[in-house]
Amino acid sequence: LFLPVLNAPTPAAGPTLDLGAAPRSHGAKLWLPKRVLFTPDALQEEYGQQMLASATALGLDIELLKSNRITGLRGDDERATYRTAKTTLAVVNAPAGALRLQPTPPSADFQLNLAEGCPAHCQYCYLAGSLSGPPVVRAFANLPKLLANTQVYERADRPVSFEASCYTDVLGIEHLTGALGEAVRYFAGREGARLRFVSKYDHVESLVGLPHNGHTRARASLNAEPLARQLEGGTASIEARIQALRRLALPVAQGGGGYPVGVLMAPIMPLPDWRQHYGELLDRVQAAFDFDCDLTVEFVTHRFTPGSKEVLLGWYPNTTLDLSEESRAVKRNKFGGLKYVYDVPTMKELKAWFYAEWQRRFPHAPVQYWT
Ligand code: SF4
């Protein structure tokens, strides 16, 4: 999920984590793809036309495809394919199957994918192994249909939540798509539905004045400073993300967005001196949230699968990310798939610490889940 270094190459990881440097506070640059592809079907849609107008106004290299298939993204090797795909935006229609929404516990009731793929370069990327093919960013032009389809999933007894960040960082591409703002406006008018998104970007200005009716929860993905710095290429700095979240949470009367907000602490890793680094992060969040607001937190520990490891090592062959199976516990899902998580003693220690430290600082901001 999150910016963008202008057509940046994948950052090469250093040999060790940089544990000593001071926090940086710069925002992300707007991601501008080297190429923007439009399929014929996408251009039949009003939103496809709007994205074409935006890309044209930005002076981007535009290609109008003759067919609805996206080809030509593969390079000579994995790294070349990665570079080409990560600098390409494809505007397409989401396929019919996208209207059958998938559950996405524990974060929300259902996925709502406004796009797939992400311009950032996180070396632990959640998308590795989840999306097939080159990691191109696909923005969906049939947006009104995708939004209206959520009504099928609403229920009478409680609001139903929709997560927009399962396969992309919607804020990271918002300047090119406008889809997040449109979704915020749409959900503002739905009493039975709630929208959630999370980002590693900080370009929140376009969201600040939107009517949201408290139906969208904006979250920032945060991590210990050395991990963010070393592993999250192309994203906004941690400080910029905190300040962007603060802006969205501030009351409208104080120039903010007045949104319900949240912190997604992810992926949590027991790096050397983790208590110190995560403690400093929590202190920074506490300092920024010196006013009453609707704040939640989610805790997600690092995990990987055999498939995601293979993809990540193709994308980031020099990564410093710990992907050794030996130090992990195996967790199986009901379909027989396995993932590697931290062992039980490590998980217990992390969980107890994070709950205690969060609740001490934010007694009125509920923990939504730990995983
Ligand atoms: Fe984008 Fe990083 Fe999230 Fe992957 S983990 S989708 S690169 S922000």
Side-chain angles (χ1 to χ4, degrees), residues 75-137:
D76 291 341
D77 56 24
E78 274 301 301
R79 296 271 292 155
T81 299
Y82 178 94
R83 276 194 298 274
T84 303
K86 278 280 191 176
T87 51
T88 302
L89 172 66
V91 181
V92 303
N93 276 355
L99 300 179
R100 285 191 304 277
L101 301 188
Q102 300 302 313
T104 183
S107 138
D109 291 308
F110 294 102
Q111 298 179 10
L112 173 58
N113 299 316
L114 309 177
E116 287 180 355
C118 168
H121 306 277
C122 301
Q123 294 174 31
Y124 54 75
C125 181
Y126 307 109
L127 304 186
S130 304
L131 295 177
S132 57
V136 61
V137 182

Side-chain angles (χ1 to χ4, degrees), residues 1-2 82 86 117-128 165-169 198-201 221 231-233 235 267 312 315-316:
L1 319 208
F2 330 161
Y82 178 94
K86 278 280 191 176
C118 168
H121 306 277
C122 301
Q123 294 174 31
Y124 54 75
C125 181
Y126 307 109
L127 304 186
S165 300
C166 295
Y167 292 117
T168 187
D169 188 313
V198 61
S199 182
K200 293 191 180 100
Y201 291 108
S221 173
L231 300 176
E232 298 178 348
T235 61
L312 288 172
W315 288 351
Y316 310 107

Side-chain angles (χ1 to χ4, degrees), residues 146-313:
L146 297 173
L147 293 175
N149 179 58
T150 60
Q151 291 180 32
V152 175
Y153 294 84
E154 289 184 20
R155 38 192 288 177
D157 57 334
R158 64 167 176 84
V160 174
S161 56
F162 298 89
E163 173 65 77
S165 300
C166 295
Y167 292 117
T168 187
D169 188 313
V170 276
L171 186 57
I173 54 174
E174 178 66 1
H175 56 293
L176 299 165
T177 69
L180 178 56
E182 200 51 38
V184 168
R185 276 189 288 264
Y186 174 82
F187 279 89
R190 301 302 309 170
E191 281 311 316
R194 299 289 181 272
L195 178 67
R196 299 161 63 75
F197 75 91
V198 61
S199 182
K200 293 191 180 100
Y201 291 108
D202 64 326
H203 300 102
V204 297
E205 274 313 305
S206 66
L207 303 181
V208 167
L210 293 183
H212 55 74
N213 203 16
H215 291 181
T216 292
R217 186 172 297 278
R219 295 120 79 214
S221 173
L222 301 179
N223 213 332
E225 183 75 32
L227 295 176
R229 189 181 295 227
Q230 194 79 13
L231 300 176
E232 298 178 348
T235 61
S237 70
I238 291 294
E239 190 58 28
R241 294 179 220 172
I242 292 172
Q243 293 308 322
L245 193 68
R246 173 188 158 85
R247 182 83 201 284
L248 289 175
L250 268 177
V252 174
Q254 294 177 36
Y259 284 82
V261 295
V263 166
L264 174 67
M265 200 67 80
I268 294 170
M269 300 179 194
L271 73 162
D273 298 325
W274 61 266
R275 289 178 189 77
Q276 176 205 327
H277 293 295
Y278 282 110
E280 286 171 6
L281 173 62
L282 292 172
D283 287 345
R284 288 162 68 187
V285 176
Q286 186 179 24
F289 282 81
D290 55 350
F291 56 96
D292 285 339
C293 66
D294 178 351
L295 173 69
T296 60
V297 69
E298 299 145 80
F299 295 118
V300 179
T301 54
H302 180 247
R303 69 270 327 277
F304 62 93
T305 66
S308 68
K309 175 177 175 174
E310 186 185 343
V311 173
L312 288 172
L313 290 179

Side-chain angles (χ1 to χ4, degrees), residues 294-359:
D294 178 351
L295 173 69
T296 60
V297 69
E298 299 145 80
F299 295 118
V300 179
T301 54
H302 180 247
R303 69 270 327 277
F304 62 93
T305 66
S308 68
K309 175 177 175 174
E310 186 185 343
V311 173
L312 288 172
L313 290 179
W315 288 351
Y316 310 107
N318 302 318
T319 187
T320 55
L321 180 63
D322 175 15
L323 291 170
S324 57
E325 291 84 355
E326 297 72 38
S327 59
R328 302 288 183 126
V330 173
K331 203 170 168 184
R332 291 185 187 277
N333 66 25
K334 57 186 174 185
F335 307 110
L338 60 86
K339 58 187 167 189
Y340 294 100
V341 299
Y342 294 118
D343 61 23
V344 172
T346 305
M347 283 290 236
K348 273 189 176 163
E349 191 180 2
L350 289 168
K351 183 175 180 180
W353 187 89
F354 273 93
Y355 270 66
E357 293 297 317
W358 179 267
Q359 287 166 344

